[in-house]
Amino acid sequence: METKDRLTNYYEAYDEEGRLISKHGMVEYITTMKYIEKYLKPNMRILEIGAGTGRYSHALAQKGYRVDAVELVEHNIEIFKQNTIEGEPVTIKQGNAMDLPDFESDTYDITLLLGPMYHLFTKEDQLKALSEAIRVTKKGGIVFAAYCMGDASILSYGFIRGEIYNIIEKCKLNTETFDSFSNPWDIFELYRKEDIDKLRSEFNVTQLHFIASDGYTNHMRETVDQMDDRMYDLYLKYHLATCERQDMIGYSHHTLDIFRKE
């Protein structure tokens, strides 16, 4: 089965919209938007590669920014189009993050790569996606690249949910170093910070932030979802105050690498 077919099957069965609007899912969204907004200036052009159902693209377009979006999975594109408000300055086309021939170099002020790195399983493919995101970005422009982290999955799925022996039996874990291993049929590639640093080091870019997009949230998602508004606001304040602390990065299920093209 091709990667596109696997992703189509996964996202047709998965409620991505529902994840992003739950209280625990909103932590990642709120954090990512906070950092995007740090770099927004009037009349900027934005490209979102791997836009999914368009949560970020629509939010930014509704703020008045011109947004172009690329998405691999047709199911997600259909939802993206359904969520588009009349007059919204946003476009969507089908495409692969590793090859964007329809997009010119040095065009966008901000490029969002918030999903593709989750689903690329070789260094060659990962570098292709990063290279394309950087290519279409203007010099001095900002790239946001999101990743799924291995240790958070080992803790939550392996130990908390009791799947650790199944993971070991399937040869997905080194029980000495606790490095994790993924295959395309696993859907998600898992990283450590040093893996992400090595990928970024291949390019002429300057890192601006490396953040824990959801921090410890997914380990306590039931608790977060049951918080009243007062406690949830306090939790968000705590999370945003600590999300750049490097001693806490590895516990986050999602991280965001933010860098400037030189």
Side-chain angles (χ1 to χ4, degrees):
M1 185 181 290
E2 295 293 327
T3 298
K4 182 182 175 183
D5 295 328
R6 293 190 184 95
L7 292 176
T8 297
N9 291 341
Y10 176 81
Y11 281 108
E12 284 182 349
Y14 184 70
D15 183 12
E16 177 71 2
E17 290 280 286
R19 179 184 76 85
L20 289 174
I21 63 174
S22 64
K23 278 187 173 177
H24 74 267
M26 281 292 291
V27 173
E28 178 189 356
Y29 172 76
I30 289 168
T31 305
T32 302
M33 284 298 293
K34 174 184 170 65
Y35 278 84
I36 293 172
E37 288 167 352
K38 283 178 179 285
Y39 295 96
L40 288 176
K41 295 179 181 178
N43 302 315
M44 277 187 160
R45 291 192 65 187
I46 300 169
L47 175 66
E48 183 172 14
I49 304 169
T53 56
R55 185 69 187 279
Y56 294 98
S57 288
H58 290 309
L60 292 164
Q62 288 164 23
K63 290 177 179 289
Y65 294 95
R66 290 176 58 196
V67 181
D68 294 322
V70 183
E71 171 56 31
L72 181 67
V73 178
E74 285 88 349
H75 172 75
N76 288 341
I77 294 173
E78 291 174 9
I79 297 174
F80 187 107
K81 290 179 177 178
Q82 292 168 11
N83 291 340
T84 302
I85 298 172
E86 185 176 353
E88 200 175 316
V90 66
T91 68
I92 177 72
K93 62 173 58 181
Q94 197 274 340
N96 189 311
M98 295 183 292
D99 185 21
L100 300 172
D102 295 335
F103 296 89
E104 295 183 2
S105 301
D106 303 307
T107 300
Y108 293 94
D109 301 284
I110 289 178
T111 300
L112 307 178
L113 190 70
L114 301 180
M117 303 303 287
Y118 297 173
H119 308 302
L120 300 175
F121 295 87
T122 68
K123 183 176 181 182
E124 179 183 7
D125 287 350
Q126 292 159 5
L127 290 173
K128 283 181 181 178
L130 284 171
S131 179
E132 281 293 81
I134 294 166
R135 177 185 66 78
V136 300
T137 305
K138 294 177 181 178
K139 290 185 178 180
I142 311 299
V143 178
F144 294 74
Y147 297 85
C148 293
M149 304 301 280
D151 289 294
S153 295
I154 293 168
L155 289 168
S156 62
Y157 184 71
F159 288 106
I160 295 174
R161 293 177 58 179
E163 296 291 335
I164 192 68
Y165 297 120
N166 290 333
I167 295 172
I168 294 169
E169 287 172 8
K170 292 178 181 178
C171 300
K172 297 183 184 299
L173 195 66
N174 181 324
T175 55
E176 296 300 319
T177 64
F178 286 89
D179 286 313
S180 56
F181 308 100
S182 301
N183 297 296
W185 51 87
D186 298 314
I187 304 297
F188 290 96
E189 171 71 328
L190 303 176
Y191 299 80
R192 284 182 170 175
K193 186 177 183 296
E194 54 262 36
D195 303 323
I196 300 165
D197 290 339
K198 286 178 183 177
L199 289 170
R200 188 192 332 98
S201 71
E202 299 280 338
F203 302 97
N204 184 24
V205 299
T206 299
Q207 187 185 52
L208 301 172
H209 309 276
F210 192 87
I211 66 171
S213 308
D214 44 28
Y216 204 71
T217 304
N218 277 301
H219 300 288
M220 48 182 283
R221 61 176 65 187
E222 292 84 5
T223 300
V224 173
D225 287 343
Q226 292 171 11
M227 289 178 178
D228 61 27
D229 290 345
R230 183 185 179 194
M231 184 173 287
Y232 185 66
D233 288 345
L234 188 61
Y235 177 73
L236 284 174
K237 185 177 180 181
Y238 165 79
H239 167 70
L240 292 170
T242 60
C243 66
E244 287 197 59
R245 275 179 46 186
Q246 299 305 289
D247 58 330
M248 299 179 71
I249 289 288
Y251 291 117
S252 187
H253 276 77
H254 301 90
T255 57
L256 188 59
D257 192 22
I258 305 171
F259 51 86
R260 181 177 59 243
K261 177 177 177 178
E262 300 300 348

